[in-house]
Amino acid sequence: AQSVTQPDIHITVSEGASLELRCNYSYGATPYLFWYVQSPGQGLQLLLKYFSGDTLVQGIKGFEAEFKRSQSSFNLRKPSVHWSDAAEYFCAVGGSYIPTFGRGTSLIVHP
Amino acid sequence: ETGVTQTPRHLVMGMTNKKSLKCEQHLGHNAMYWYKQSAKKPLELMFVYSLEERVENNSVPSRFSPECPNSSHLFLHLHTLQPEDSALYLCASSQDVRNEQFFGPGTRLTVL
């Protein structure tokens, strides 16, 4: 069975600071991995995805994520956070069937 | 533009009402989904349709009834709902069930 854990419910950063959101997964083979962002009252938007190949994946809005098989992780990073990045972030894992979503991490950005 | 539209965006209904949520995707996808998102709870997958056949029904109460008349349209028919059914209902589509999903903006449902 596949599962995904986002250990942090909330993360607070200052504008301009770097960001790393953690995602750990459980999957028996090479997973498909996704990060989504949700602004208040909106649907989820895909930031980036990993299916195979280069383990460092570039996404939209300046985000990137690195697949580390040895750590079963797919952490999301951004070098400099903007106030507009405040949102809910979801990691998802799949591969052979419908992806499973994590519980989400709420990002708060202080000016 | 996500390519997935949902109507209505907001809905208030009494417990004895019958209403329907509509979702339409303009992406040529083969799979469509309904999710429920409540405050402080994880995203809950309700129903999945692939090539217009229901492939997943995650123990959803019968007061929620999905319908997928073609690959571009998905409905969620609601009747005799409970206040705890108040939530954001999200529709999504994907090329197939393994791939990334494209979400609509959601319908904010309030049951009085």
Side-chain angles (χ1 to χ4, degrees), chain B residues 50-66:
Chain B
S50 178
L51 298 172
E52 301 158 43
E53 286 194 22
R54 193 190 308 179
V55 298
E56 197 77 22
N57 176 352
N58 280 346
S59 302
V60 179
S62 59
R63 56 186 184 268
F64 295 91
S65 174

Side-chain angles (χ1 to χ4, degrees), chain B residues 34-73:
Chain B
W34 279 117
Y35 288 89
K36 176 184 178 182
Q37 188 177 37
S38 306
K40 311 296 183 187
K41 286 189 173 182
L43 203 58
E44 297 175 51
L45 180 63
M46 300 175 72
F47 301 104
V48 182
Y49 280 80
S50 178
L51 298 172
E52 301 158 43
E53 286 194 22
R54 193 190 308 179
V55 298
E56 197 77 22
N57 176 352
N58 280 346
S59 302
V60 179
S62 59
R63 56 186 184 268
F64 295 91
S65 174
E67 178 189 3
C68 186
N70 55 61
S71 60
S72 298
H73 294 86

Side-chain angles (χ1 to χ4, degrees), chain A residues 2-4 27 32-34 36 51 91-102, chain B residues 33 35 43 45 48 94 96-101:
Chain A
Q2 62 198 32
S3 66
V4 60
Y27 189 76
Y32 287 7
L33 294 160
F34 311 87
Y36 291 83
F51 285 0
C91 181
V93 62
S96 59
Y97 199 46
I98 302 162
T100 298
F101 284 81
Chain B
Y33 311 75
Y35 288 89
L43 203 58
L45 180 63
V48 182
S94 63
D96 62 54
V97 293
R98 299 181 308 160
N99 280 304
E100 66 269 28
Q101 294 170 26

Side-chain angles (χ1 to χ4, degrees), chain A residues 70-86:
Chain A
S70 61
Q71 298 177 21
S72 298
S73 69
F74 189 57
N75 294 348
L76 183 71
R77 301 194 294 248
K78 187 169 185 177
S80 177
V81 169
H82 188 261
W83 65 265
S84 60
D85 293 324

Side-chain angles (χ1 to χ4, degrees), chain B residues 73-90:
Chain B
H73 294 86
L74 186 65
F75 294 89
L76 188 63
H77 303 300
L78 316 171
H79 62 97
T80 60
L81 294 192
Q82 304 299 310
E84 60 265 28
D85 298 321
S86 298
L88 183 68
Y89 288 84
L90 293 165

